Amino acid sequence: MHTCPRCESKKAEVVSKSPVEGAWEVYMCPVCIFTWRSIEPETITNPEKYNRAFKVNPADIPFAENVPALPAKYIK
Amino acid sequence: MAYKDFRDFLATLEKEGQLLTINDEVKPEPDIAAATKAMSKLGAETPAMLFDNIYGYNDAKVAMNVMGSWPNHALMMSLPKNTPLKDQFFEFARRYDQFPMPVQREETAPFHEVEITENINLFDILPLFRLNQGDGGFYIDKACVISRDLDDPEHFGKQNVGIYRMQVKGKDRLGIQPVPQHDIAIHLRQAEERGENLPVVIALGNEPAITTAAATPLHYDQSEYEMAGAIQGEPYRIVKAKDSDLDIPWGAEVVLEGELLAGVREFEGPFGEFTGHYSGGRSMPVIKINRVYHRQNPIFEHLYIGMPWTETDYMIGINTSVPLYQQLKEAFPNEIQAVNAMYTHGLVAIISTKRRYGGFAKAVGMRALTTPHGLGYCKLVIVVDEDVDPFNLPQVMWALSTKMHPKHDAVIIPDLSVLALDPGSSPSGITHKMVLDATTPVAPETRGHYSQPLDSPLNVEKWEQRLRELLR
Ligand SMILES: [Zn+2]
């Protein structure tokens, strides 16, 4: 498990490893679906340095607008 | 002459000096996106780029900026690469009128070489990478997405081929942005009303005619495949999918078969868009991939999108301008000369027209607002005289600076529809629109001092031709 730089959940997992062994790994966060590569700049990989304007609060995710809108039968 | 597949087009670009191969090792991020953005800054005649030495990969190849310049756009139509922009516009308009060109069906395709149905992992199959720093993940943004009308599945024209942004959200999972105005949103709506998933096919790495047709605003029942045939002047080749009745571009490098999941919305984005702004943080539909095919050692074609101009703007410049031109000509066949709707997909459009009487140019501008494309774009329409080339911005600026009177020639219409991605719209999807009449007043509009327009010395055109030859 890895910490998501964007929403800071601790649940991110490895989804891919470089074909050349040991070069990099790709992680994905199941909470905010952020995806990143281990060798990206720190402004992407480090939760402390991730651009504040693009941070995601997990509590906001369920309230994101549906685009396109869902037909009535799917709305609980 | 048609290109048989993506590789055939790349070979032509190389032969014409319009393909730069980067053999030096690059990192997936930020190098590939940075190099592509930098290439866009070098002008309007830049080459495509092929990266074949990417850190961490053994034999991945990534093609960028494939149609990111006017020479490459000319070569898309098999025209000489130095064909002037206005000539490309008129040639595209001529071919657009050849629609529909029947398709050619094939039984097998090169992408059948490798087929994967178990343990699909898109992150392993495609050399994916981030484009812009605020992007929520790795995207696919130049692929053809194919779907059918569920209420009229036999109607070939209602099968849609479109280009949508897709976020890779899992090993076999994509998020997709079908804006309500897009044709695929109609298909998704039908599927969700029935409670069924919508079969879709995604084709990556195509020759450029289908990419151009897929990015052309066509009517709902017009086939992009029949338009691609018209653009390339030969029947377009397609092959059937295995899991559905969908038709696939024969020459694709990689094909994903799957289904749009009915009733599912999931957090998506942000993604840097063609408006030069990010959009995202909304919940969007999801595609589950069930089958992947690809050629041996596939080339991954990707598109950098960001602050204009980038490849997108070359890709949707002429093919946005021509439908607007044709629709305006339906209303005013003898007056409309040319249309340049190349700025941010036509949020700004420039129309060159003759005038029959005072007020006519404003009517032309208003008509543009009510064309199908105008309903979502054309926030600013500039109308110029027939002798002003709308593709020549210094000439357009001259017309604005000398012909336009703000009191009489600036018309603002409040609260019209616009695409929701327009960052200035408020609420999202609503904006005022403006027509600027930069044509010379004609009777009964008699204001201004326009009776002595400058002519040129005799024989300027002859000299122009002679000088071109001398300078060759
Ligand atoms: Zn997260």
Side-chain angles (χ1 to χ4, degrees):
Chain A
M1 300 289 214
H2 298 261
T3 301
C4 170
R6 184 165 78 164
C7 79
E8 302 191 16
S9 92
K10 307 272 189 281
K11 297 177 186 162
E13 290 185 7
V14 176
V15 289
S16 185
K17 292 184 176 184
S18 53
V20 175
E21 205 181 321
W24 43 255
E25 294 181 333
V26 175
Y27 311 110
M28 198 174 78
C29 166
V31 176
C32 76
I33 336 266
F34 186 68
T35 311
W36 76 100
R37 195 183 319 267
S38 56
I39 58 165
E40 288 193 71
E42 269 210 296
T43 48
I44 301 288
T45 59
N46 182 341
E48 306 273 303
K49 296 187 177 166
Y50 194 80
N51 186 340
R52 297 263 138 225
F54 289 92
K55 283 275 193 182
V56 168
N57 180 348
D60 294 337
I61 292 176
F63 301 102
E65 181 195 0
N66 288 333
V67 176
L70 273 172
K73 68 199 256 191
Y74 293 104
I75 297 169
K76 290 166 197 118
Chain B
M1 184 217 75
Y3 297 102
K4 85 180 189 335
D5 56 20
F6 183 61
R7 294 177 193 202
D8 190 19
F9 185 56
L10 287 186
T12 296
L13 292 179
E14 185 162 37
K15 189 167 61 102
E16 296 282 347
Q18 285 297 120
L19 178 69
L20 178 67
T21 302
I22 310 274
N23 303 121
D24 293 344
E25 184 177 87
V26 296
K27 284 190 173 165
E29 299 87 8
D31 290 347
I32 302 178
T36 311
K37 170 68 185 166
M39 185 60 95
S40 294
K41 295 173 81 168
L42 297 184
E45 300 185 347
T46 58
M49 285 188 285
L50 185 66
F51 297 88
D52 66 359
N53 184 1
I54 303 167
Y55 178 69
Y57 288 99
N58 290 313
D59 47 17
K61 289 194 183 71
V62 174
M64 302 294 289
N65 203 47
V66 171
M67 224 196 300
S69 66
W70 294 127
N72 289 20
H73 187 273
L75 292 168
M76 177 273 288
M77 293 195 283
S78 300
L79 298 172
K81 68 175 181 181
N82 61 357
T83 305
L85 186 49
K86 200 173 170 185
D87 294 357
Q88 293 193 41
F89 168 83
F90 283 116
E91 178 58 17
F92 192 94
R94 193 188 67 75
R95 297 192 195 182
Y96 184 92
D97 281 341
Q98 308 298 308
F99 174 87
M101 169 79 76
V103 294
Q104 181 178 330
R105 295 183 181 278
E106 304 285 349
E107 295 297 318
T108 60
F111 64 75
H112 289 138
E113 281 174 353
V114 180
E115 186 167 345
I116 307 166
T117 52
E118 305 278 316
N119 300 318
I120 290 168
N121 186 346
L122 297 173
F123 290 105
D124 289 343
I125 295 166
L126 301 169
L128 300 165
F129 55 94
R130 187 183 317 282
L131 293 174
N132 284 301
Q133 297 184 66
D135 287 355
F138 303 165
Y139 274 74
I140 295 171
D141 68 350
K142 201 187 176 182
C144 289
V145 181
I146 302 134
S147 59
R148 271 191 193 264
D149 184 306
L150 296 180
D151 294 338
D152 195 1
E154 302 298 309
H155 195 301
F156 184 71
K158 290 185 182 174
Q159 171 172 252
N160 181 59
V161 184
I163 298 172
Y164 306 98
R165 81 185 211 196
M166 289 179 288
Q167 181 180 0
V168 182
K169 299 174 105 181
K171 292 179 176 181
D172 58 357
R173 210 173 152 84
L174 300 169
I176 183 168
Q177 173 178 266
V179 176
Q181 290 86 349
H182 291 161
D183 289 348
I184 195 174
I186 296 170
H187 300 170
L188 175 63
R189 185 82 194 180
Q190 293 170 338
E192 292 194 322
E193 294 291 354
R194 295 167 178 224
E196 294 172 9
N197 293 342
L198 178 73
V200 291
V201 166
I202 297 154
L204 297 93
N206 301 296
E207 43 54 54
I210 190 60
T211 308
T212 303
T216 302
L218 300 180
H219 291 298
Y220 178 66
D221 60 357
Q222 291 180 326
S223 163
E224 287 80 8
Y225 289 132
E226 291 174 342
M227 182 56 81
I231 292 168
Q232 68 182 17
E234 277 179 38
Y236 192 77
R237 296 210 277 178
I238 53 176
V239 63
K240 280 278 178 223
K242 292 191 180 173
D243 295 334
S244 66
D245 190 38
L246 297 168
D247 297 302
I248 310 174
W250 179 88
E253 290 285 319
V254 180
V255 171
L256 316 177
E257 276 200 65
E259 48 201 333
L260 250 162
L261 304 179
V264 176
R265 299 288 185 275
E266 187 178 79
F267 198 65
E268 192 267 1
F271 182 62
E273 275 284 358
F274 69 94
T275 58
H277 295 77
Y278 288 94
S279 84
R282 294 168 296 171
S283 285
M284 299 220 189
V286 169
I287 297 170
K288 160 101 168 41
I289 301 299
N290 302 319
R291 188 188 293 272
V292 176
Y293 333 72
H294 62 79
R295 297 181 67 153
Q296 297 283 1
N297 301 315
I299 303 168
F300 178 51
E301 188 196 17
H302 204 0
L303 174 139
Y304 175 79
I305 187 165
M307 184 68 83
W309 271 48
T310 64
E311 179 179 0
T312 313
D313 299 285
Y314 296 96
M315 213 171 91
I316 61 177
I318 302 241
N319 55 0
T320 301
S321 302
V322 165
L324 197 52
Y325 168 70
Q326 306 290 31
Q327 287 154 12
L328 286 168
K329 287 227 307 187
E330 283 170 22
F332 308 112
N334 299 319
E335 289 80 19
I336 303 297
Q337 301 298 299
V339 175
N340 173 358
M342 304 200 304
Y343 305 99
T344 320
H345 205 186
L347 276 174
V348 174
I350 305 158
I351 302 165
S352 163
T353 184
K354 295 180 188 166
R355 289 97 56 238
R356 276 157 55 191
Y357 34 73
F360 188 85
K362 292 186 184 73
V364 168
M366 306 268 275
R367 178 71 188 91
L369 303 183
T370 59
T371 57
H373 193 68
L375 296 177
Y377 294 85
C378 294
K379 183 162 61 172
L380 168 60
V381 179
I382 301 167
V383 189
V384 296
D385 286 336
E386 71 268 30
D387 57 356
V388 172
D389 174 358
F391 293 97
N392 185 327
L393 292 188
Q395 283 188 21
V396 174
M397 288 297 133
W398 168 77
L400 280 171
S401 50
T402 61
K403 308 283 187 179
M404 196 207 47
H405 190 306
K407 182 179 173 191
H408 302 285
D409 293 326
V411 182
I412 292 179
I413 302 111
D415 294 326
L416 298 183
S417 61
V418 75
L419 83 160
L421 284 180
D422 173 13
S425 65
S426 176
S428 183
I430 295 292
T431 184
H432 287 24
K433 293 190 178 180
M434 178 158 70
V435 175
L436 291 180
D437 180 354
T439 62
T440 312
V442 290
E445 215 176 6
T446 52
R447 60 195 165 75
H449 305 280
Y450 297 109
S451 61
Q452 294 180 321
L454 240 166
D455 49 8
S456 293
L458 293 176
N459 295 332
V460 164
E461 276 156 28
K462 270 187 201 157
W463 271 99
E464 192 179 331
Q465 200 160 11
R466 194 166 154 196
L467 292 174
R468 264 187 219 284
E469 279 155 25
L470 285 170
L471 290 168
R472 195 168 283 167

